[in-house]
Amino acid sequence: MLIYTLKRLGLALLVALAVSMLSFTLLHLSGDPASAIAGESATDSDIAAIRAFYGFDRPLIVQYADWLFSALRGDFGESYYFQLPVAQLIGDRLSITMTLGICGISFAILTAVPLGVAAAVRPNSMIDRMALFISVMGQAMPSFWFGLVLVVIFSIKFRLLPPSGTDGWQNFVMPTIVLGYYAMPAIMRLTRAGMLDVLSADYVRTARAKGASEVRVMFKHALRNAIIPVVSLSAVQMGFMLGGSIVVESIFALHGAGYLAWESIGRNDLPTVQALILIFALFYIVFTFLSDLLNAWLDPRMRVG
């Protein structure tokens, strides 16, 4: 188990390094950052002065090495647009994104797991078909379109929920539904498949033969074993949701890290964009790493090894 953990940790670090290197290279090759900072009315001498001031005239590998060593110390540079340290800027916004991610995955689990269990208990029933319909819709419907539909219905037509802002819990209702709905199909399908497999197991038939109530069989014997891969999948989905929050936060004007990424991209704020790409990638890498460790810990062969 220790050797497996060290291997996965090494792989995670290599993936993070590769993401940072690739994103840094693509961002700097997509255009001249000095021209973006100087603006349209700047002269060639102004652009040259900015290029020298920020070190853009150095080789790209030197710029990346300098940025990487600074990032390892928690220094991501200063935002070109906001004129604030990038670490401080992201730290002020990250709590909103984390709150949205936790609410979203909680909504997905609390909705998808009961539907998956009900669909497995009554296969080919109306509940099973409804769960299948929700699963297909969740995969086919773009999150930005779903968010706009909710805004039109609940904010414009019925005026029940605010369309944007972070003033209270009401502002997080629609973003939570949109973000959580993205993770529901996979969790629901895995719960249904796991329950169908477990319900046909010998120990479940033995529990029923001993006279155990159906509720006890479902929750103590069946669901407890079927939920294990769901927990692992939820960890991966959490990483996806935090990284994909940029769309939801942009629609509902939640000033979190995702909205900051959208603002920074539009304003060519390279230090902020680079730091956010790395942080969002780390979210996914960390949650995937934890998911792999959980699977390994639950595997008796890995625990013995």
Side-chain angles (χ1 to χ4, degrees), residues 24-61:
F24 187 92
T25 303
L26 292 178
L27 284 174
H28 282 74
L29 292 180
S30 61
D32 185 7
S35 300
I37 296 172
E40 297 181 358
S41 59
T43 63
D44 292 340
S45 59
D46 294 332
I47 296 175
I50 292 175
R51 189 177 292 115
F53 178 79
Y54 286 104
F56 296 144
D57 53 349
R58 297 177 299 168
L60 190 60
I61 186 65

Side-chain angles (χ1 to χ4, degrees), residues 40-234:
E40 297 181 358
S41 59
T43 63
D44 292 340
S45 59
D46 294 332
I47 296 175
I50 292 175
R51 189 177 292 115
F53 178 79
Y54 286 104
F56 296 144
D57 53 349
R58 297 177 299 168
L60 190 60
I61 186 65
V62 176
Q63 295 183 52
Y64 171 73
D66 183 55
W67 176 87
L68 180 61
F69 288 123
S70 297
L72 291 176
R73 299 193 303 268
D75 180 14
F76 294 101
E78 185 174 295
S79 168
Y80 298 156
Y81 179 80
F82 297 97
Q83 298 297 312
L84 290 171
V86 174
Q88 175 188 339
L89 195 60
I90 296 176
D92 294 339
R93 305 282 193 100
L94 200 56
S95 59
I96 295 176
T97 300
M98 292 298 296
T99 300
L100 180 60
I102 292 172
C103 292
I105 196 64
S106 300
F107 171 79
I109 293 173
L110 293 176
T111 306
V113 170
L115 281 174
V117 172
V121 172
R122 297 182 178 276
N124 300 320
S125 65
M126 185 63 68
I127 296 178
D128 191 16
R129 293 188 179 91
M130 182 182 68
L132 178 62
F133 173 78
I134 294 175
S135 178
V136 172
M137 286 296 293
Q139 288 182 315
M141 187 165 50
S143 58
F144 69 88
W145 183 85
F146 185 36
L148 293 176
V149 169
L150 292 184
V151 169
V152 170
I153 295 175
F154 293 104
S155 297
I156 298 176
K157 186 175 180 61
F158 295 106
R159 300 183 181 276
L160 296 175
L161 295 170
S164 61
T166 56
D167 297 329
W169 63 267
Q170 298 92 339
N171 298 88
F172 287 89
V173 173
M174 290 191 292
T176 294
I177 294 174
V178 174
L179 195 62
Y181 193 66
Y182 169 79
M184 279 179 57
I187 297 176
M188 189 188 308
R189 289 198 310 271
L190 188 60
T191 303
R192 182 184 182 276
M195 285 294 294
L196 287 174
D197 185 56
V198 169
L199 288 174
S200 61
D202 292 337
Y203 61 87
V204 172
R205 289 196 293 266
T206 302
R208 284 172 172 162
K210 289 182 177 180
S213 64
E214 194 65 20
V215 174
R216 184 180 178 87
V217 170
M218 286 295 157
F219 290 97
K220 183 177 181 180
H221 299 283
L223 183 59
R224 187 173 66 177
N225 291 280
I227 204 70
I228 293 174
V230 175
V231 174
S232 177
L233 175 64
S234 299

